[in-house]
Amino acid sequence: QVQLVESGGGLVQPGGSLRLSCAASRFTLDDYTIGWFRQAPGKEREGVSCIANSDRSTYYADSVKGRFTISRDYAKNMVYLQMNSLKPEDTAVYYCAAVLVLPNSWERLQPGEYDYWGQGTQVTVSS
């Protein structure tokens, strides 16, 4: 059973930073494309970023480009989401997810393309 666990969420002021972590158990993250998604109250889950398993290419939603950075630590079997210049509209539960087969480029930030999900970590941006 593939298991993902997110951590690193919390309360931060606008303009601040957080780093989210995604840890895996019982499988190697390197083999999977890993995505970060978020869901705010009353809204649909949306894709934030992903990192491909094939060529390590990265993808970002327009709303976070230039502010968020996704990365892998192969030695630790972890994926991170560094979030800078946070805004109140970034407030949401953040999830990491994994899929073995790299989705088509136009689907890489679509939640339905991912097979395994963590339980989420809350990020609140507020003064």
Side-chain angles (χ1 to χ4, degrees):
Q1 180 84 23
V2 170
Q3 291 186 334
L4 298 168
V5 178
E6 304 93 337
S7 61
L11 173 64
V12 64
Q13 293 187 340
S17 298
L18 282 175
R19 188 178 78 159
L20 304 184
S21 300
C22 177
S25 61
R26 304 192 180 120
F27 74 103
T28 301
L29 279 176
D30 300 354
D31 296 334
Y32 289 77
T33 289
I34 304 299
W36 282 99
F37 297 82
R38 66 186 181 187
Q39 189 165 18
K43 294 188 176 181
E44 293 186 353
R45 192 169 297 188
E46 64 174 354
V48 174
S49 180
C50 74
I51 185 164
N53 55 344
S54 56
D55 58 1
R56 307 177 189 177
S57 55
T58 57
Y59 303 84
Y60 297 93
D62 289 342
S63 58
V64 306
K65 279 181 182 175
R67 300 189 298 123
F68 291 11
T69 303
I70 191 169
S71 62
R72 292 183 186 265
D73 185 326
Y74 293 89
K76 295 183 178 179
N77 200 29
M78 300 278 286
V79 172
Y80 303 103
L81 185 68
Q82 178 67 42
M83 306 187 297
N84 299 328
S85 303
L86 283 162
K87 305 175 180 179
E89 52 263 43
D90 294 318
T91 295
V93 177
Y94 283 71
Y95 302 88
C96 67
V99 61
L100 188 58
V101 177
L102 180 64
N104 295 317
S105 58
W106 60 91
E107 297 176 315
R108 287 172 190 170
L109 295 182
Q110 296 298 318
E113 296 298 313
Y114 290 75
D115 297 320
Y116 307 103
W117 292 81
Q119 83 291 346
T121 185
Q122 176 70 48
V123 172
T124 303
V125 185
S126 175
S127 55

